[in-house]
Amino acid sequence: MNIGYYDKLLTFLNYDVEKLIIDNILAKGEELGVTFPNSLVRFYYYFGNCNEVLNGYYKFFKLEDIKIWHEGIVFGTKELSINYLCIVLEETT
Amino acid sequence: MLLILHNLFVDNTKDPTVYYTCEDTDDWFSELNYRGSEAFFFNIACMNILYHKPFTSAANIPKAKYNDEISNKNSFCTFTDDDTINNGYQRRGFLDKSGKILGCYWNLIGRIFVSADSKEELYEFANSTDIKFKPFSFKSVKKTEKKKKLPKVDSNIMTEYYEKLLSFLPDIPEKLDKNKILKNGGELGVKLPRQLVDFYRYFGSSDKFLDSFFIFKKLEDIHVENNVLVFGATNEYYSYLGIDLDCMYCDEPYVTEYSDNKCSDIIDSYGASAFFFNAACFQIMNIMQAMAVVNISKKYFFSKILDKKKVFSFYDDKQLKKGYYISACHNEDFSVLCCYVDDVLYAAANDDDILNDFEKKTKWELDWL
């Protein structure tokens, strides 16, 4: 997959974002006993260290706070919403 | 490491859906038109960057017009040629040709947002389009107050209550097909909550019911306004009724009452099951033949009257009993339907004699309406 669009999006931040280390993201998945989908790894690789992107209209958990809940990977919430965002494990295998 | 990167960014075998869930439930809820997490993560990253930009403008723009602008590439460019990303989520990020303007189109509410680091850049861009942008700030948008999660109300039990309610109607309406109702939601790009589906399934075909007191919209007129699923108004359009889409995907969403038809000024919120059932009772009462009232204080009603052989609640659940300012109840043989509203008990029957008997048995002096 061409990821140029993520690089392009980065240019709209007015500072350099230190990308997360991919091994750390994968290790977090292992710690939880799951394999993170590529989309989630890619997002956290680019923006896992960027508070601005993690905390906007949608709130994403920091990598270390991602958790497994009811057979799903729970990774954030909508602003002021009672809903959590998640990916169902069944769809990742 | 290179192999890992290669696998991450080249291999695209799995693109799971992003769902919503909330505490106290095992269920997952997905918005319709979700096509996967790739589109979700990228487009939400766009939205979140835009959210913090110092200068933002917005304009309402129909989906068809937006698609024309994008396809003609008059003013906007997509980040990628990959339609999975461009069309796959309700919010779609884009940029302008200069690469200075970040935009996001929210197709569910038909609004386009553009942002820049300087007012001049934004102004110049806005003038290059034929779209009437207005200054906009995410921070100034009034949001629903974060509410506590409501416990799930068993939908089978609610169905039983609705069946009982039907017996009070002089003419029982034909039930609407559940799939037809859900399809209507699908056309709006939302999965309608089951509480609203049940309500419309039982009563959606009866025009008489829909506007007997509250003004419920016909199923096909339900729409999304300012991120709220708007389905009706209180009597005489005193206030407007809707469900905030941001809080809709859970077992027991809140119905919110707004003072304006743009759904920006919130009056109050109520649990959906309590709202729809108690409102349905009041709608039915208003089409029954005979109605009368008696003043009873709230404390006295709930401690001495309700469930003490005079009138009975439909349910044991406190959330349903006190979750809305109308509390529905009935007499012993289900011939009199009652609603307690603001220190007044309303009682209705389909025959004057039934209500006369009720008055004698209760020894209340009813004022007939």
Side-chain angles (χ1 to χ4, degrees):
Chain A
M1 168 168 281
N2 176 1
I3 54 154
Y5 55 93
Y6 263 98
D7 287 318
K8 222 182 276 181
L9 190 56
L10 276 179
T11 64
F12 285 96
L13 293 168
N14 296 328
Y15 48 86
D16 291 334
V17 176
E18 192 182 335
K19 295 185 183 77
L20 281 188
I21 296 165
I22 287 178
D23 282 347
N24 290 350
I25 305 172
L26 299 177
K28 177 66 186 177
E30 279 175 27
E31 178 195 316
L32 295 172
V34 300
T35 304
F36 285 154
N38 286 353
S39 53
L40 187 145
V41 177
R42 191 175 301 121
F43 176 83
Y44 275 88
Y45 170 69
Y46 276 94
F47 297 120
N49 262 337
C50 178
N51 281 329
E52 196 169 315
V53 176
L54 292 181
N55 292 292
Y57 189 78
Y58 283 66
K59 312 283 182 198
F60 291 92
F61 295 161
K62 286 181 178 268
L63 178 68
E64 55 268 31
D65 296 328
I66 294 176
K67 57 188 176 182
I68 302 297
W69 193 15
H70 295 321
E71 305 295 314
I73 303 166
V74 178
F75 57 85
T77 64
K78 278 190 190 180
E79 187 189 41
L80 293 175
S81 168
I82 59 172
N83 295 127
Y84 289 97
L85 302 163
C86 62
I87 288 170
V88 178
L89 290 178
E90 199 179 88
E91 294 189 14
T92 65
T93 51
Chain B
M1 182 67 176
L2 277 177
L3 183 64
I4 293 170
L5 274 170
H6 175 84
N7 283 340
L8 268 178
F9 300 140
V10 177
D11 177 26
N12 187 26
T13 52
K14 278 282 176 190
D15 189 14
T17 307
V18 173
Y19 291 86
Y20 297 119
T21 188
C22 62
E23 286 173 5
D24 310 322
T25 178
D26 293 335
D27 292 336
W28 306 103
F29 307 91
S30 79
E31 284 183 8
L32 294 182
N33 302 330
Y34 256 138
R35 292 185 195 136
S37 58
E38 293 284 4
F40 173 85
F41 281 113
F42 183 74
N43 289 305
I44 294 304
C46 281
M47 183 88 179
N48 276 7
I49 292 175
L50 192 145
Y51 182 88
H52 293 287
K53 285 284 177 191
F55 299 101
T56 313
S57 291
N60 293 330
I61 175 170
K63 195 171 165 183
K65 189 176 180 195
Y66 169 80
N67 286 338
D68 283 348
E69 288 282 345
I70 287 292
S71 58
N72 293 332
K73 294 199 173 13
N74 287 334
S75 312
F76 310 131
C77 304
T78 51
F79 278 90
T80 164
D81 292 332
D82 184 348
D83 281 345
T84 311
I85 304 297
N86 294 336
N87 302 326
Y89 185 59
Q90 289 173 353
R91 294 156 186 85
R92 303 169 184 182
F94 62 83
L95 67 169
D96 76 327
K97 283 181 178 172
S98 73
K100 289 177 182 171
I101 305 294
L102 179 64
C104 198
Y105 182 66
W106 193 337
N107 68 357
L108 190 61
I109 61 173
R111 187 172 292 172
I112 192 166
F113 301 94
V114 289
S115 68
D117 291 319
S118 83
K119 201 184 275 184
E120 291 72 27
E121 283 171 355
L122 196 58
Y123 187 71
E124 193 183 323
F125 170 76
N127 279 344
S128 72
T129 73
D130 61 355
I131 299 168
K132 289 177 183 168
F133 283 104
K134 287 182 182 171
F136 179 85
S137 168
F138 283 101
K139 310 286 179 351
S140 69
V141 176
K142 189 170 179 179
K143 303 283 184 186
T144 307
E145 185 190 348
K146 190 161 187 174
K147 292 276 197 179
K148 68 171 185 179
K149 292 164 194 70
L150 293 169
K152 184 176 181 175
V153 177
D154 187 335
S155 61
N156 293 329
I157 290 176
M158 290 311 297
T159 305
E160 279 178 32
Y161 296 153
Y162 277 123
E163 290 288 343
K164 280 180 188 164
L165 265 193
L166 285 178
S167 65
F168 291 101
L169 273 169
D171 302 307
I172 295 178
E174 192 180 331
K175 282 197 189 80
L176 288 183
D177 178 41
K178 188 177 176 180
N179 290 330
K180 185 193 163 192
I181 302 170
L182 290 171
K183 195 178 162 201
N184 260 69
E187 285 165 7
L188 296 171
V190 297
K191 184 181 176 187
L192 297 175
R194 61 182 170 79
Q195 293 85 351
L196 184 143
V197 173
D198 279 345
F199 180 85
Y200 273 88
R201 191 159 65 90
Y202 278 94
F203 308 113
S205 70
S206 168
D207 291 350
K208 205 172 173 185
F209 172 91
L210 289 176
D211 64 4
S212 72
F213 181 78
F214 293 100
I215 304 142
F216 288 100
K217 290 182 179 298
K218 288 182 180 174
L219 182 62
E220 57 272 23
D221 295 331
I222 293 175
H223 65 277
V224 173
E225 174 81 44
N226 198 15
N227 203 35
V228 173
L229 182 76
V230 183
F231 59 79
T234 52
N235 64 315
E236 297 178 349
Y237 293 96
Y238 169 76
S239 57
Y240 294 82
L241 298 163
I243 300 175
D244 187 334
L245 295 189
D246 283 347
C247 303
M248 194 164 84
Y249 297 98
C250 61
D251 284 328
E252 190 61 30
Y254 281 93
V255 165
T256 303
E257 195 177 339
Y258 300 89
S259 67
D260 62 324
N261 63 358
K262 297 290 174 196
C263 300
S264 57
D265 189 25
I266 295 160
I267 297 174
D268 209 345
S269 299
Y270 323 95
S273 295
F275 169 81
F276 281 113
F277 185 78
N278 290 303
C281 288
F282 208 60
Q283 293 297 92
I284 290 173
M285 284 186 71
N286 278 281
I287 48 181
M288 290 169 78
Q289 187 178 322
M291 201 198 295
V293 296
V294 59
N295 291 325
I296 301 173
S297 76
K298 191 174 181 180
K299 191 178 172 186
Y300 190 69
F301 175 76
F302 283 105
S303 63
K304 305 284 182 193
I305 301 287
L306 196 61
D307 300 332
K308 301 283 192 303
K309 294 185 180 174
K310 285 192 175 180
V311 293
F312 303 85
S313 185
F314 281 88
Y315 19 69
D316 298 325
D317 190 313
K318 189 181 168 191
Q319 186 179 322
L320 293 170
K321 210 181 279 186
K322 295 189 174 178
Y324 187 50
Y325 76 89
I326 295 173
S327 299
C329 43
H330 57 85
N331 70 338
E332 199 160 11
D333 66 359
F334 284 93
S335 58
V336 178
L337 182 60
C338 304
C339 279
Y340 184 72
V341 190
D342 291 337
D343 292 337
V344 177
L345 182 73
Y346 292 76
N350 284 316
D351 191 310
D352 288 359
D353 292 342
I354 295 173
L355 209 50
N356 276 323
D357 284 348
F358 178 72
E359 187 173 26
K360 281 177 199 161
K361 276 184 188 169
T362 57
K363 296 176 184 167
W364 290 333
E365 283 188 24
L366 297 178
D367 288 330
W368 287 66
L369 298 176

